[in-house]
């Protein structure tokens, strides 16, 4: 690890997440598998939310139309096969042996309903930007669904990996709120209870059509403090913990009861700047932010060199990653000069964050921007509040925020469209030129045309700085010593792909 000579080195040495006591009872029996999350889920309705703590839980309650295997290949799940009738029409064959947890069969009508539900603008799904190229879904046979798109849509299958199937009859009878409170899916685990602020309990679906889980019961606990998650692992009250940093992971190196598991993910850590709000309505200030942040020092000094500095909102495994994108170089003196020239020196800005993010990074970035001349106030809220604000009207979004983004689709369409297209609830900027390029890239099957469009968009991001890509994130899990599981880049916790070592 290189020596940190940046002015905030004392911050690197002193940032410690404070431990708050949390009384957790040990698992009552080995057949109960306990997972410590950072927060409780924002929603268990799979089409109402898209954040890790929700995703970790509901992906085990519901099946998806398609899925990815551990190598990242798109493979069948509820759909057994598919074929293109044209560039805009795809037909899927649906399994005939799947039942929801209430015993009713999963049908082609449920699949069509699930698609049409998530693409309905009035439903206001946070995932809408990833599915809004779909025009309609129709059950065209007892075990067949046809999906139509608005023009050629090269990312359709990659996006459908995330489409969970919900029971039409139950959703319509209960309503969205009641369904979220007691979801019914067809996945390998059934919902049991949700003690708000504490835990979600699941039980194994012994009638599951696919590979069954080995754990009879599972509990997902909300444990905001990372040090407490590590302590729970060492005490044996937890079997799997998410969101560890390298310092905490090091505490498990000599543990006799726990170990660490890690993988580089699709997720990109970034700083988002709101061009609607001063001082970030001035490009000089946005450029100054890019020049003030020392990405390499953050990766080496805070992340243990496990993560990788990023120059764009993509990683090499994404389709749409472009070689040779140049960012503004780290130049703290020029950053300070630009802020002064823009009349922004001493300007107070609120920096939005949430407990799920590594607060060492947030604090380090805040210190770097303060050193450059801004007065940065970190605004910590719970994840639900953070997400609600992040998807509000552009002028209501934060002036600056920290985020980590993954589309779990391995295509930059799922990153750039939600974050930059003016139609997206996540976007704070508005550029007809960028909208045109993104639309062009998602409306053709010509890969050369797509790559050229994404080159121009990523170049725009580097030059105009609506976002500052920081690093490709590795995720570190703490796990019981005898847990056998291979983490994947899309950060899915599929319980039925885990087992105890013999």
């Amino acid at each position: 690890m290189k020596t940190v000579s940046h002015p905030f080195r004392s911050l690197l040495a002193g940032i410690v997440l404070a431990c708050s006591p949390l009384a957790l009872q040990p698992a009552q029996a080995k057949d109960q598998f306990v997972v410590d999350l950072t927060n409780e889920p924002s929603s268990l309705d799979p089409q109402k939310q898209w954040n890790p703590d929700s995703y970790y839980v509901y992906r085990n309650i519901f099946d998806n139309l398609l899925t990815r295997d551990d190598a990242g290949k798109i493979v069948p799940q509820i759909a057994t096969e598919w074929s293109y009738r044209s560039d805009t029409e795809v037909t899927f064959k649906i399994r005939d042996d799947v039942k929801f947890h209430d015993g009713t069969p999963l049908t082609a009508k449920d699949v069509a309903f699930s698609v049409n539900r998530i693409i309905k603008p009035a439903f206001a799904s946070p995932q809408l930007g990833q599915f809004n190229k779909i025009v309609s879904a129709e059950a065209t046979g007892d075990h067949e669904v046809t999906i139509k798109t608005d023009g050629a849509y090269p990312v359709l299958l990659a996006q459908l990996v995330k489409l969970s199937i919900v029971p039409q009859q139950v959703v319509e009878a209960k309503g969205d709120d009641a369904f979220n409170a007691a979801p019914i899916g067809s996945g390998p685990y059934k919902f049991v209870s949700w003690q708000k602020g504490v835990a979600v309990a699941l039980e194994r679906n012994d009638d599951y059509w696919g590979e069954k889980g080995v754990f009879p019961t599972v509990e997902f606990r909300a444990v905001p403090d990372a040090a407490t998650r590590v302590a729970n692992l060492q005490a044996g009250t937890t079997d799997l913990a998410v969101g560890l940093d390298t310092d905490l992971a090091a505490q498990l190196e000599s543990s006799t009861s726990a170990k660490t598991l890690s993988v580089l993910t699709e997720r990109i850590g970034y700083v988002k700047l709101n061009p609607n709000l001063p001082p970030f309505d001035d490009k000089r200030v946005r450029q100054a932010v890019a020049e003030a942040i020392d990405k390499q020092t953050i990766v080496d000094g805070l992340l243990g060199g496990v993560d990788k500095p990023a120059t764009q909102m993509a990683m090499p495994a994404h389709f749409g990653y472009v070689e040779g994108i140049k960012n503004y170089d780290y130049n703290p003196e020029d950053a300070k000069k630009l802020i002064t020239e823009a009349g922004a020196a001493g300007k107070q800005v609120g920096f939005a964050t949430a407990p799920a993010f590594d607060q060492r990074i947030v604090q380090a970035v805040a210190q770097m921007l303060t050193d450059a001349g801004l007065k940065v106030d970190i605004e910590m809220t719970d994840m639900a509040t953070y997400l609600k604000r992040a998807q509000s009207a552009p002028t209501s979004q934060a002036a600056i925020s920290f985020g980590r983004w993954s589309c779990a689709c391995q295509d930059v369409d799922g990153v750039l469209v939600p974050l930059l297209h003016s139609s997206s609830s996540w976007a704070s900027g508005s550029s007809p030129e960028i909208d045109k390029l993104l639309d062009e890239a998602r409306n053709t099957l010509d890969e050369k045309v797509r790559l050229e469009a994404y080159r121009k968009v990523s170049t725009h991001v580097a030059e105009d700085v609506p976002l500052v890509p920081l690093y490709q994130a590795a995720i570190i899990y703490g796990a019981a010593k005898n847990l056998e599981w291979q983490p994947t880049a899309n950060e899915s916790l599929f319980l039925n792909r885990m087992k105890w070592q013999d």
Side-chain angles (χ1 to χ4, degrees):
M1 182 183 299
K2 76 176 186 180
T3 301
V4 178
S5 57
H6 194 278
F8 73 101
R9 63 186 174 188
S10 60
L11 181 68
L12 298 186
I15 293 175
V16 178
L17 296 178
C19 294
S20 57
L22 181 65
L24 293 180
Q25 297 300 316
Q28 295 302 307
K30 193 61 178 174
D31 61 8
Q32 183 184 54
F33 189 77
V34 178
V35 183
D36 279 357
L37 303 177
T38 306
N39 299 287
E40 71 172 338
S42 301
S43 172
L44 292 181
D45 184 329
Q47 297 171 355
K48 279 286 191 180
Q49 198 47 266
W50 182 245
N51 67 75
D53 292 309
S54 299
Y55 178 74
Y56 290 145
V57 181
Y58 70 62
R59 282 302 297 266
N60 294 286
I61 299 173
F62 296 90
D63 285 317
N64 287 14
L65 190 62
L66 308 172
T67 192
R68 289 188 187 271
D69 61 19
D70 287 344
K73 181 182 177 182
I74 296 174
V75 295
Q77 192 164 51
I78 293 302
T80 59
E81 58 183 271
W82 48 91
S83 59
Y84 279 81
R85 292 184 176 179
S86 69
D87 285 355
T88 62
E89 200 170 33
V90 187
T91 296
F92 298 84
K93 297 295 183 182
I94 305 303
R95 299 189 67 95
D96 61 1
D97 58 348
V98 180
K99 291 184 178 181
F100 289 110
H101 299 152
D102 63 357
T104 60
L106 185 154
T107 69
K109 290 183 178 180
D110 295 303
V111 174
F113 171 79
S114 299
V115 176
N116 290 324
R117 182 180 188 237
I118 204 168
I119 66 174
K120 189 185 304 181
F123 183 66
S125 172
Q127 303 172 49
L128 178 61
Q130 300 172 50
F131 293 99
N132 61 5
K133 278 286 292 179
I134 299 175
V135 174
S136 66
E138 180 183 0
T140 48
D142 290 341
H143 306 294
E144 179 184 279
V145 171
T146 299
I147 292 179
K148 296 181 180 180
T149 58
D150 178 14
Y153 186 32
V155 198
L156 178 63
L157 298 181
Q159 298 290 25
L160 291 175
V161 163
K162 299 171 292 184
L163 185 79
S164 297
I165 309 305
V166 300
Q168 178 177 2
Q169 184 176 355
V170 175
V171 172
E172 291 182 335
K174 287 188 170 185
D176 293 341
D177 291 343
F179 182 71
N180 178 52
I184 293 175
S186 62
Y189 280 83
K190 300 178 182 180
F191 173 81
V192 175
S193 65
W194 185 358
Q195 187 179 359
K196 290 297 182 71
V198 180
V200 176
L202 308 181
E203 67 180 10
R204 184 172 57 204
N205 177 13
D206 289 328
D207 296 323
Y208 187 55
W209 61 271
E211 184 175 355
K212 296 177 177 59
V214 301
F215 316 122
T217 62
V218 179
E219 187 169 69
F220 290 88
R221 294 169 166 171
V223 185
D225 181 70
T228 302
R229 296 197 293 276
V230 169
N232 292 340
L233 280 166
Q234 293 175 320
T237 60
T238 295
D239 300 301
L240 181 65
V242 307
L244 304 188
D245 60 44
T246 51
D247 291 340
L248 289 168
Q251 297 180 22
L252 299 179
E253 289 180 0
S254 60
S255 174
T256 59
S257 60
K259 61 185 177 183
T260 59
L261 300 169
S262 66
V263 65
L264 275 171
T265 72
E266 295 183 44
R267 195 170 295 278
I268 305 294
Y270 65 98
V271 170
K272 180 181 177 183
L273 306 173
N274 191 337
N276 299 286
L277 302 176
F280 302 115
D281 54 349
D282 190 321
K283 181 186 172 181
R284 290 173 294 180
V285 179
R286 300 197 301 274
Q287 178 181 337
V289 170
E291 292 184 344
I293 300 175
D294 187 348
K295 301 176 186 180
Q296 192 66 56
T297 294
I298 288 175
V299 167
D300 291 341
L302 289 178
L303 300 174
V306 178
D307 306 68
K308 291 185 177 181
T311 60
Q312 56 191 288
M313 291 300 296
M315 64 172 191
H318 280 100
F319 180 88
Y321 177 87
V322 183
E323 294 285 354
I325 295 296
K326 299 293 186 182
N327 296 160
Y328 292 108
D329 292 333
Y330 170 57
N331 190 335
E333 292 305 316
D334 194 52
K336 188 179 297 185
K337 179 181 176 182
L338 286 168
I339 286 174
T340 300
E341 288 178 354
K347 292 288 185 181
Q348 191 165 351
V349 294
F351 191 8
T353 184
F357 304 130
D358 189 333
Q359 296 309 305
R360 301 173 307 163
I361 298 172
V362 175
Q363 292 177 44
V365 170
Q367 184 63 55
M368 291 172 179
L369 300 187
T370 297
D371 291 345
L374 297 174
K375 184 177 181 182
V376 181
D377 295 324
I378 295 175
E379 298 177 346
M380 172 76 77
T381 62
D382 62 84
M383 181 57 85
T385 302
Y386 170 93
L387 291 170
K388 184 177 181 179
R389 187 181 186 190
Q391 298 169 73
S392 62
T395 54
S396 298
Q397 294 181 20
I400 180 172
S401 58
F402 178 81
R404 297 195 313 158
W405 191 276
S406 170
C407 67
C409 64
Q410 296 183 1
D411 192 295
V412 296
D413 176 89
V415 181
L416 297 179
V417 170
L419 289 176
L420 296 175
H421 198 286
S422 61
S423 66
S424 170
S425 62
W426 298 92
S428 57
S430 178
S431 167
E433 179 185 358
I434 296 304
D435 284 356
K436 182 179 179 181
L437 288 168
L438 292 172
D439 289 339
E440 180 182 21
R442 63 168 18 196
N443 280 285
T444 179
L445 301 180
D446 188 325
E447 293 189 352
K448 290 183 179 179
V449 172
R450 297 190 71 213
L451 285 171
E452 177 59 18
Y454 290 137
R455 183 189 66 78
K456 292 178 179 178
V457 174
S458 291
T459 299
H460 164 82
V461 171
E463 294 177 349
D464 199 60
V465 205
L467 307 163
V468 181
L470 297 181
Y471 60 94
Q472 179 188 353
I475 188 167
I476 304 175
Y477 303 91
K481 205 82 168 181
N482 61 339
L483 180 67
E484 187 174 322
W485 174 54
Q486 176 59 55
T488 59
N490 61 13
E491 302 178 60
S492 294
L493 297 185
F494 291 114
L495 294 169
N496 63 335
R497 300 185 189 182
M498 303 177 187
K499 62 181 181 180
W500 298 121
Q501 292 174 341
D502 296 333

